[in-house]
Amino acid sequence: MHLGNYLGLLENSEKQLCDAFEHVSKKHRDEPDIEQMCAKLSAWSREHRGKVMPFVEKYSKDKSKEPKDLRRDLFSEKRSGSLALLRDLHDLWLLTQEVHLCWTVIQQAALGLRDEDLKATYTFCYARTKRQAEWLLGRIKQAAPQTLLVAA
Amino acid sequence: MTETRDSIKDIWGPRTGYTGQWPVRVDEQTTETPDHWVQSACVLCSNGCGIDIGVKDGRIVGVRGRAVDRTNYGRLGPKGLNGWVANQSPDRLTKPQIRRNGKLEDATWDEAMELIVSKSKQIIKEHTSGAIGFYTSGQMFLEEYYALAIIGKAGLGTPHMDGNTRLCTATAAAALKVSFGTDGQPGSYTDLDTTEAVLLVGHNMASQQTVLWARILDRLAGPNPPKLVVIDPRLTFTAEKATVHLAPRVGTNIPVMNGLLRLLIEAGHIDPAYIAAHTVGFEELKKIVDKWTPERVERLTGVPADKLREAANILGTCKTLVSTALQGVYQSMQATAAAVQINNLHLLRGLIGKPGAGIYQMNGQPTSQNTRECGADGDLPAFRNWGNPDHIQQLADLWNVHPDQIPHWSPPTHAMQIWRYCETGSIKMLWISGTNPLVSLPDLDRVRKTIEKEDLFVIAQDAFPTETTKYADVVLPAAIWGEKTGCFTNVDRTVHISHKAIDPPGEARSDFDIFVDYSRRMDFRGQDGSPLLTSTWQTTEDAFEAWKKCTKGRPCDYTGMSYAKLSEGSGIQWPCNEAHPDGTEHLYTDGVFNTQIDNCEAYGHDLETGAPHTHDDYKLIDPKGKAFLKGVDYEVPHEVPDEAYPLWLTTGRLVYHFHTRTKTGRSKALNDAAPDSYVQLATEDAARYGIVDGDMVEVTSRRGRVLEPARVGDIEPGLVFIPFHYGYWDKPGRPRAANELTITEWDPVSKQPHYKYAAVRIRKVLA
Ligand code: SF4
């Protein structure tokens, strides 16, 4: 059984998302909505990760030796200027998709296992992951034309 | 010379208890006997009292209330009776000015307009029209906003246009859209004549709309006085009259409202049949409010559980209810969500769309409703939906342009974001009209640094030299109320016409003429090569007729109105069309709201994050005319008092002033009544800091500092208050604008800034 691996993957991607939101929040202090919303959404991911931890424990014996870290090469370059914000939001959105997919995969297993607690955790967290992505998408759409078309 | 009362001392005038129609009382203030009177309405708050302007030898010599007008039946408050004096102020701007070698110098209209046009064209060539932004007002006329909207959206095609209405009523519009599908106040002022109860949330009506408050005072003096529930952290004039006054800690509107709704649901004081037939979302809302027991509300907000119960009992058992909200809700944490809870209250009780039952998501400024209706802010004209391709096509047809010329690819840029783009250098030309951001925006130091930027070309269009015109590259002298003709709409959808009474001073021109002139000089053209609509207009009446076409079939239908009809007597409430030739008192009388997918003004938002929903999202939830019940849980404000900044600051208005005092500060009577800013603090806090009345106090936040004389008492401990009106034009030197201290942040849905809280520290300074 590889459920333990996937839970590890999920836990790790929630952590990456949490850290990334926090990073973007601090980096873009001059954009008040970015600073505040990213701080809030970072807290959501922190909470999700906390909720996932017990399941990582619970299913850890079912774990094979697959690497749990799908680290992407995000936020790596030093970005500045008006494109930086858009690129950072872009990377955040990609991270939410990772989390989203992990949850989708795990939900299938939770159904099969009839693990009601895991199902409840899924329902709660998955909905909020979607909302994180929706906010990012809305903000990306807002920033895109100005960033791409108007030089500054 | 007539003065029916000294309104400075007697703000609301004598009491007349009444039932039925509110009796007439004509208030008048003239310095000489006029040779004739000219029909108008007051532009010094959102109430829109009918007013006649008294004219003698081409000068305004006074005003009187219009007895026939449904809004005020002749009454006027201190601002209305005294504010007109500002028209005659000797420091009016009378000539265009251009900055040359760092100094503003007089110029001709031709020079000024040609400079603006050449600058516009150059910027468009180098950076697209996305580098041009407009920051407008809540104090111009409907025709002017519609002209501006067309110029921005069809002429230039820039998404960057918003008004200072973002600071004052964006949340009103947002909350109405969230619950009912479109903007538009459901109720009518006549509801106040019969209602059994009034709920005022963060709305100091007694100081803001003094004439509307007089209507309530007269009800209180009558045989069947309504009960008043007031939610406000300060003991305002309004709160003094409350049957129950709830004084929650700053930033805790949501727990109080959630707690009230919970009590209503628990007591069964709701209308299940109405909820089932006309709303969606009840179960979720119930879940959200369920944990807010009175005890929990008390712990968090400081409102005693018993008082909350008392308030809930009034709100739950009255057979009719009028609710109002203003800046205490709109400029605070979770603004839209809290305002929506007021709509929810009415929906749960089925108290909407009938006599005596109304909601006023109040406007602050006189014509802010029109900024919103006409699309001179982040909305599209006549409550159209920027996400709906059919709505965009309708505008494209009206304006004879390609639909993609109209910026609809992303949400229109809100004011704070426009300023942010100016700060980052992405907007290179900012056209400010009829507003004074250098006093009214939060975190003034940041705004000053932005407007001073070399690469930002600033146009300021105003009647007076202000803190803002000082920084402009071009100053355009504007004609104001009394000097031009146009229409505007008050809070209960009453449309008034304001006729030109006198000529503007010097070379000043109306905002309408300035915008139309710009349109012609820019030679904007439609897709068949003919001149853009705005370039064809000769008079404001042409614009009004075009506006009527734009509103046809929309909730704010003006098609049944005309300049002639509006000049007959009283103002008229929209929608006014063939079906309702005399206007409409109540919206949603049949419980059918504007939430249908092809009708709604927005597809909704995530109330917590502000993420906009799409057409596809909406398809899944299209309530087809039912209203939305929505709620959120409490969130802690982003800045709370700590060791370094141990006190809450809140800001607000005074009865004698409007906005940044550009007009009211130039009326001797109003200025003498409230000549300077101050900081109000609780007796306990004053004692702790060794401060007595009149001491000079330094108030500091993370963003700036001000020096204000102290006023002790009538406020909760831990909270200090500074009125927001005061700046520097008449008193340079001492830092005194409240917005030196406030925070740059805004509501995620309405994007309205949070003026109502900031953490500060205080210190007595030796004068
Ligand atoms: S209540 Fe408002 S509109 Fe009426 S007179 Fe006073 S300021 Fe003018």
Side-chain angles (χ1 to χ4, degrees), chain B residues 651-666:
Chain B
T651 65
R653 73 180 76 241
L654 300 176
V655 67
Y656 302 109
H657 285 300
F658 177 62
H659 223 237
T660 63
R661 293 166 58 256
T662 44
K663 280 184 189 165
T664 53
R666 287 177 169 87

PDB file of all heavy atoms in Angstrom, chain B residues 651-666:
ATOM      1  N   THR B 651     -11.889  56.915  13.244  1.00  0.00           N
ATOM      2  CA  THR B 651     -12.096  58.234  12.645  1.00  0.00           C
ATOM      3  C   THR B 651     -13.565  58.371  12.254  1.00  0.00           C
ATOM      4  O   THR B 651     -14.266  57.382  12.114  1.00  0.00           O
ATOM      5  CB  THR B 651     -11.227  58.425  11.395  1.00  0.00           C
ATOM      6  OG1 THR B 651     -11.650  57.508  10.387  1.00  0.00           O
ATOM      7  CG2 THR B 651      -9.756  58.187  11.691  1.00  0.00           C
ATOM      8  N   GLY B 652     -14.007  59.597  12.069  1.00  0.00           N
ATOM      9  CA  GLY B 652     -15.412  59.791  11.719  1.00  0.00           C
ATOM     10  C   GLY B 652     -15.698  61.236  11.377  1.00  0.00           C
ATOM     11  O   GLY B 652     -14.788  62.047  11.233  1.00  0.00           O
ATOM     12  N   ARG B 653     -17.014  61.534  11.258  1.00  0.00           N
ATOM     13  CA  ARG B 653     -17.388  62.860  10.768  1.00  0.00           C
ATOM     14  C   ARG B 653     -17.990  63.730  11.854  1.00  0.00           C
ATOM     15  O   ARG B 653     -18.367  63.269  12.919  1.00  0.00           O
ATOM     16  CB  ARG B 653     -18.364  62.727   9.609  1.00  0.00           C
ATOM     17  CG  ARG B 653     -19.753  62.306  10.034  1.00  0.00           C
ATOM     18  CD  ARG B 653     -20.664  62.195   8.841  1.00  0.00           C
ATOM     19  NE  ARG B 653     -20.409  60.992   8.091  1.00  0.00           N
ATOM     20  CZ  ARG B 653     -20.009  60.964   6.821  1.00  0.00           C
ATOM     21  NH1 ARG B 653     -19.804  62.069   6.165  1.00  0.00           N
ATOM     22  NH2 ARG B 653     -19.825  59.822   6.208  1.00  0.00           N
ATOM     23  N   LEU B 654     -18.100  65.025  11.519  1.00  0.00           N
ATOM     24  CA  LEU B 654     -18.750  65.989  12.400  1.00  0.00           C
ATOM     25  C   LEU B 654     -19.962  66.555  11.682  1.00  0.00           C
ATOM     26  O   LEU B 654     -19.990  66.620  10.455  1.00  0.00           O
ATOM     27  CB  LEU B 654     -17.788  67.136  12.730  1.00  0.00           C
ATOM     28  CG  LEU B 654     -16.492  66.729  13.424  1.00  0.00           C
ATOM     29  CD1 LEU B 654     -15.603  67.946  13.606  1.00  0.00           C
ATOM     30  CD2 LEU B 654     -16.796  66.095  14.775  1.00  0.00           C
ATOM     31  N   VAL B 655     -20.919  67.003  12.468  1.00  0.00           N
ATOM     32  CA  VAL B 655     -22.181  67.442  11.891  1.00  0.00           C
ATOM     33  C   VAL B 655     -21.999  68.643  10.959  1.00  0.00           C
ATOM     34  O   VAL B 655     -22.720  68.805   9.983  1.00  0.00           O
ATOM     35  CB  VAL B 655     -23.215  67.712  13.005  1.00  0.00           C
ATOM     36  CG1 VAL B 655     -22.814  68.901  13.853  1.00  0.00           C
ATOM     37  CG2 VAL B 655     -24.598  67.900  12.449  1.00  0.00           C
ATOM     38  N   TYR B 656     -21.028  69.495  11.235  1.00  0.00           N
ATOM     39  CA  TYR B 656     -20.936  70.755  10.481  1.00  0.00           C
ATOM     40  C   TYR B 656     -20.085  70.648   9.222  1.00  0.00           C
ATOM     41  O   TYR B 656     -19.987  71.606   8.463  1.00  0.00           O
ATOM     42  CB  TYR B 656     -20.371  71.864  11.376  1.00  0.00           C
ATOM     43  CG  TYR B 656     -21.212  72.076  12.607  1.00  0.00           C
ATOM     44  CD1 TYR B 656     -20.764  71.693  13.862  1.00  0.00           C
ATOM     45  CD2 TYR B 656     -22.485  72.619  12.496  1.00  0.00           C
ATOM     46  CE1 TYR B 656     -21.551  71.863  14.989  1.00  0.00           C
ATOM     47  CE2 TYR B 656     -23.289  72.788  13.611  1.00  0.00           C
ATOM     48  CZ  TYR B 656     -22.820  72.406  14.857  1.00  0.00           C
ATOM     49  OH  TYR B 656     -23.607  72.565  15.956  1.00  0.00           O
ATOM     50  N   HIS B 657     -19.421  69.513   9.022  1.00  0.00           N
ATOM     51  CA  HIS B 657     -18.513  69.463   7.876  1.00  0.00           C
ATOM     52  C   HIS B 657     -18.817  68.308   6.958  1.00  0.00           C
ATOM     53  O   HIS B 657     -19.415  67.307   7.332  1.00  0.00           O
ATOM     54  CB  HIS B 657     -17.065  69.378   8.352  1.00  0.00           C
ATOM     55  CG  HIS B 657     -16.572  70.681   8.871  1.00  0.00           C
ATOM     56  ND1 HIS B 657     -16.528  71.813   8.106  1.00  0.00           N
ATOM     57  CD2 HIS B 657     -16.123  71.037  10.109  1.00  0.00           C
ATOM     58  CE1 HIS B 657     -16.066  72.815   8.832  1.00  0.00           C
ATOM     59  NE2 HIS B 657     -15.827  72.381  10.054  1.00  0.00           N
ATOM     60  N   PHE B 658     -18.338  68.517   5.740  1.00  0.00           N
ATOM     61  CA  PHE B 658     -18.529  67.505   4.726  1.00  0.00           C
ATOM     62  C   PHE B 658     -17.173  67.225   4.098  1.00  0.00           C
ATOM     63  O   PHE B 658     -16.454  68.160   3.728  1.00  0.00           O
ATOM     64  CB  PHE B 658     -19.526  68.007   3.680  1.00  0.00           C
ATOM     65  CG  PHE B 658     -19.727  67.045   2.559  1.00  0.00           C
ATOM     66  CD1 PHE B 658     -20.243  65.784   2.816  1.00  0.00           C
ATOM     67  CD2 PHE B 658     -19.373  67.366   1.269  1.00  0.00           C
ATOM     68  CE1 PHE B 658     -20.402  64.874   1.791  1.00  0.00           C
ATOM     69  CE2 PHE B 658     -19.541  66.459   0.243  1.00  0.00           C
ATOM     70  CZ  PHE B 658     -20.053  65.211   0.511  1.00  0.00           C
ATOM     71  N   HIS B 659     -16.846  65.944   4.012  1.00  0.00           N
ATOM     72  CA  HIS B 659     -15.655  65.539   3.281  1.00  0.00           C
ATOM     73  C   HIS B 659     -14.418  66.275   3.796  1.00  0.00           C
ATOM     74  O   HIS B 659     -14.237  66.362   5.001  1.00  0.00           O
ATOM     75  CB  HIS B 659     -15.906  65.804   1.791  1.00  0.00           C
ATOM     76  CG  HIS B 659     -15.421  64.657   0.968  1.00  0.00           C
ATOM     77  ND1 HIS B 659     -14.505  64.811  -0.037  1.00  0.00           N
ATOM     78  CD2 HIS B 659     -15.710  63.360   1.016  1.00  0.00           C
ATOM     79  CE1 HIS B 659     -14.252  63.632  -0.577  1.00  0.00           C
ATOM     80  NE2 HIS B 659     -14.973  62.744   0.039  1.00  0.00           N
ATOM     81  N   THR B 660     -13.610  66.839   2.915  1.00  0.00           N
ATOM     82  CA  THR B 660     -12.388  67.484   3.411  1.00  0.00           C
ATOM     83  C   THR B 660     -12.574  68.990   3.571  1.00  0.00           C
ATOM     84  O   THR B 660     -11.631  69.749   3.466  1.00  0.00           O
ATOM     85  CB  THR B 660     -11.180  67.197   2.506  1.00  0.00           C
ATOM     86  OG1 THR B 660     -11.440  67.759   1.204  1.00  0.00           O
ATOM     87  CG2 THR B 660     -10.971  65.696   2.345  1.00  0.00           C
ATOM     88  N   ARG B 661     -13.815  69.411   3.790  1.00  0.00           N
ATOM     89  CA  ARG B 661     -14.137  70.803   4.124  1.00  0.00           C
ATOM     90  C   ARG B 661     -13.865  71.785   3.006  1.00  0.00           C
ATOM     91  O   ARG B 661     -13.820  72.993   3.252  1.00  0.00           O
ATOM     92  CB  ARG B 661     -13.363  71.259   5.381  1.00  0.00           C
ATOM     93  CG  ARG B 661     -13.777  70.557   6.648  1.00  0.00           C
ATOM     94  CD  ARG B 661     -12.800  70.768   7.793  1.00  0.00           C
ATOM     95  NE  ARG B 661     -12.608  72.169   8.124  1.00  0.00           N
ATOM     96  CZ  ARG B 661     -11.513  72.871   7.783  1.00  0.00           C
ATOM     97  NH1 ARG B 661     -10.548  72.308   7.117  1.00  0.00           N
ATOM     98  NH2 ARG B 661     -11.407  74.116   8.128  1.00  0.00           N
ATOM     99  N   THR B 662     -13.668  71.321   1.786  1.00  0.00           N
ATOM    100  CA  THR B 662     -13.396  72.280   0.719  1.00  0.00           C
ATOM    101  C   THR B 662     -14.540  73.285   0.620  1.00  0.00           C
ATOM    102  O   THR B 662     -14.309  74.451   0.344  1.00  0.00           O
ATOM    103  CB  THR B 662     -13.185  71.584  -0.634  1.00  0.00           C
ATOM    104  OG1 THR B 662     -14.170  70.586  -0.789  1.00  0.00           O
ATOM    105  CG2 THR B 662     -11.823  70.953  -0.721  1.00  0.00           C
ATOM    106  N   LYS B 663     -15.772  72.831   0.859  1.00  0.00           N
ATOM    107  CA  LYS B 663     -16.896  73.776   0.852  1.00  0.00           C
ATOM    108  C   LYS B 663     -17.239  74.239   2.269  1.00  0.00           C
ATOM    109  O   LYS B 663     -17.313  75.429   2.530  1.00  0.00           O
ATOM    110  CB  LYS B 663     -18.130  73.130   0.228  1.00  0.00           C
ATOM    111  CG  LYS B 663     -18.098  73.117  -1.285  1.00  0.00           C
ATOM    112  CD  LYS B 663     -19.399  72.552  -1.820  1.00  0.00           C
ATOM    113  CE  LYS B 663     -19.303  72.324  -3.323  1.00  0.00           C
ATOM    114  NZ  LYS B 663     -20.390  71.469  -3.799  1.00  0.00           N
ATOM    115  N   THR B 664     -17.478  73.283   3.155  1.00  0.00           N
ATOM    116  CA  THR B 664     -17.986  73.677   4.473  1.00  0.00           C
ATOM    117  C   THR B 664     -16.959  74.499   5.251  1.00  0.00           C
ATOM    118  O   THR B 664     -17.327  75.357   6.049  1.00  0.00           O
ATOM    119  CB  THR B 664     -18.393  72.443   5.302  1.00  0.00           C
ATOM    120  OG1 THR B 664     -17.296  71.523   5.342  1.00  0.00           O
ATOM    121  CG2 THR B 664     -19.593  71.753   4.697  1.00  0.00           C
ATOM    122  N   GLY B 665     -15.681  74.284   4.986  1.00  0.00           N
ATOM    123  CA  GLY B 665     -14.650  75.079   5.646  1.00  0.00           C
ATOM    124  C   GLY B 665     -14.639  76.508   5.154  1.00  0.00           C
ATOM    125  O   GLY B 665     -14.034  77.393   5.755  1.00  0.00           O
ATOM    126  N   ARG B 666     -15.300  76.758   4.018  1.00  0.00           N
ATOM    127  CA  ARG B 666     -15.351  78.112   3.466  1.00  0.00           C
ATOM    128  C   ARG B 666     -16.665  78.817   3.800  1.00  0.00           C
ATOM    129  O   ARG B 666     -16.938  79.898   3.288  1.00  0.00           O
ATOM    130  CB  ARG B 666     -15.122  78.064   1.954  1.00  0.00           C
ATOM    131  CG  ARG B 666     -13.657  77.777   1.613  1.00  0.00           C
ATOM    132  CD  ARG B 666     -13.418  77.655   0.127  1.00  0.00           C
ATOM    133  NE  ARG B 666     -11.991  77.630  -0.175  1.00  0.00           N
ATOM    134  CZ  ARG B 666     -11.244  76.530  -0.192  1.00  0.00           C
ATOM    135  NH1 ARG B 666     -11.777  75.364   0.081  1.00  0.00           N
ATOM    136  NH2 ARG B 666      -9.955  76.598  -0.470  1.00  0.00           N
TER     137      ARG B 666
END
